[in-house]
């Protein structure tokens, strides 16, 4: 049995799911409908257990949104254990024979699987009921578990969204003062969890490290982007090719498991000389806008991180440029091609070249953004040598 603290934690977590009282949702109704089809039972429920109530979040064959006292429900017992509960004939089970579901509504068969969130807290059940006794095979049990995992993913989306928001808030660093250089940045994030990869920091040796790119992996993109950023940040003391090789050795296995890739440019600038070393892993958006307005791409044909085998130290090619006074290094995410008036890195470079300085360029590009939440993450970094 769980104690009061566990009950309170469960209740708080159910409320954090932000689905109670929201009305019918197809993402849940699809699950109960398919559960009905899979088992051929008259009643299926996706129930949430909170406080002393059990609320039907979705159902097939019953009343949606109803709440009943937990002590009258099979699900209040199911949620206390990590494994599914199967009752072939509830009239023969002294725990439930007296409950309204059995005594008044004639329920004989019950099978329910608990629904757990990321921290292990069980918040509800996916269950089926019948007015006739039934047997339940090992295959049936495995199918019910699989359907319950689906329900868990849908329930956990609101919490995962909030978790992603916290992760993403930490993904955009504060502006930096760089000796001898002016730095202007623009980072716009999709509110529901894009995979934008944005970082700039001063290394212990005084060099400026810049990373721009994206991880493409569905809902886990932001979490993987945080891993990539952290892996690079931990290698600021290494030569750039060794840092990228270490990054790949660390994160490529996770990227492959998620069927994801990381497209990025990682650059290091020596503020005392304006010398830039840069590795382009499948992004291809880096350009130098010279003081005279001419544009010079700085890109390679290297594959993104996560494709092919992890690079050994020195296996990725390093591109080098030297910034003269008035030259601007421009790094941009490739998602700018989705913004009207900004069709890729060439357009970004032209917009930067047309403005008197990097700050003006960033503000001009910002003004091109459509109103409302962006469809994807967008990053622009302009570093000008004074």
């Amino acid at each position: 049995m769980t104690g009061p603290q566990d009950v309170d934690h469960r209740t708080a977590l159910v409320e954090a799911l932000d689905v109670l009282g929201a009305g019918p949702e197809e993402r849940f109704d699809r699950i109960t409908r398919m559960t009905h089809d899979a088992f051929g039972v008259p009643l299926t429920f996706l129930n949430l257990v909170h406080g002393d109530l059990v609320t039907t979040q979705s159902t097939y064959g019953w009343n949606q949104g109803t709440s009943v006292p937990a002590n009258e429900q099979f699900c209040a017992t199911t949620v206390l254990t990590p494994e599914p509960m199967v009752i072939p004939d509830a009239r023969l089970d002294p725990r439930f024979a007296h409950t309204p579901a059995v005594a008044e509504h004639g329920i004989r068969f019950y099978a329910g699987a608990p629904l757990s969130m990321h921290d292990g807290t069980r918040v509800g059940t996916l269950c089926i009921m019948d007015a006739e006794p039934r047997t339940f095979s090992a295959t049936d049990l495995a199918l019910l578990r699989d359907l319950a995992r689906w329900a868990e993913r849908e329930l956990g989306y609101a919490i995962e969204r909030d978790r992603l928001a916290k992760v993403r808030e930490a993904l955009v660093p504060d502006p930096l003062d760089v000796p001898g250089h002016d730095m202007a940045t623009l980072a716009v994030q999709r509110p529901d969890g894009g995979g934008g990869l944005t970082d700039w920091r001063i290394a212990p040796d005084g060099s400026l490290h810049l990373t721009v790119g994206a991880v493409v992996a569905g809902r886990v993109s932001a979490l993987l982007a945080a891993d990539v950023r952290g892996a690079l940040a931990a290698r600021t003391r290494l030569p750039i090719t060794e840092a990228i090789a270490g990054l790949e050795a660390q994160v490529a296995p996770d990227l492959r498991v998620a069927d994801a890739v990381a497209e990025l440019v990682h650059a290091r600038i020596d503020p005392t000389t304006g010398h830039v070393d840069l590795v382009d892993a499948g992004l291809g958006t880096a350009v130098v806008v010279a003081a005279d307005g001419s544009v010079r791409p700085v890109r390679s044909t290297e594959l993104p991180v996560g494709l092919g085998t992890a690079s050994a130290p020195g296996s990725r090619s390093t591109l080098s440029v030297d910034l003269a006074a008035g030259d601007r290094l421009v790094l941009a995410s490739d998602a700018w091609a989705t913004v009207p008036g900004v069709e890729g890195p060439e357009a970004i470079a032209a917009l930067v070249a047309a403005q008197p300085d990097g700050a003006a360029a960033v503000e001009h590009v910002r003004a091109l953004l459509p109103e409302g939440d962006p469809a994807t993450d967008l990053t622009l970094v302009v570093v000008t040598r004074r």
Side-chain angles (χ1 to χ4, degrees), residues 284-285 299 332-339 341-351:
T285 62
R299 64 187 64 154
S333 56
D334 62 357
W336 283 102
T338 65
V339 177
V342 188
E343 280 73 29
E346 292 80 7
I348 286 281
L351 290 171

Side-chain angles (χ1 to χ4, degrees), residues 197 214-216 228 247 251 255 260-264 281-282 303-307:
L197 179 58
V215 174
V216 183
V228 173
L247 161 75
V251 305
L255 292 171
V261 297
E263 304 169 341
L264 61 90
L303 294 174
V305 177
L307 288 180

Side-chain angles (χ1 to χ4, degrees), residues 92-110:
L92 304 179
D93 192 316
R95 296 174 298 172
F96 304 105
H98 66 284
T99 62
V102 178
E104 298 176 16
H105 299 293
I107 296 300
R108 301 284 296 278
F109 169 79
Y110 170 90

Side-chain angles (χ1 to χ4, degrees), residues 4 15 55 57 117 130 138 145 150 309 318 356 358 386:
E15 292 174 353
T55 296
Q57 187 63 33
M117 296 294 95
D130 198 344
R145 283 194 179 102
W150 180 13
T309 58
T318 301
R386 292 198 292 265

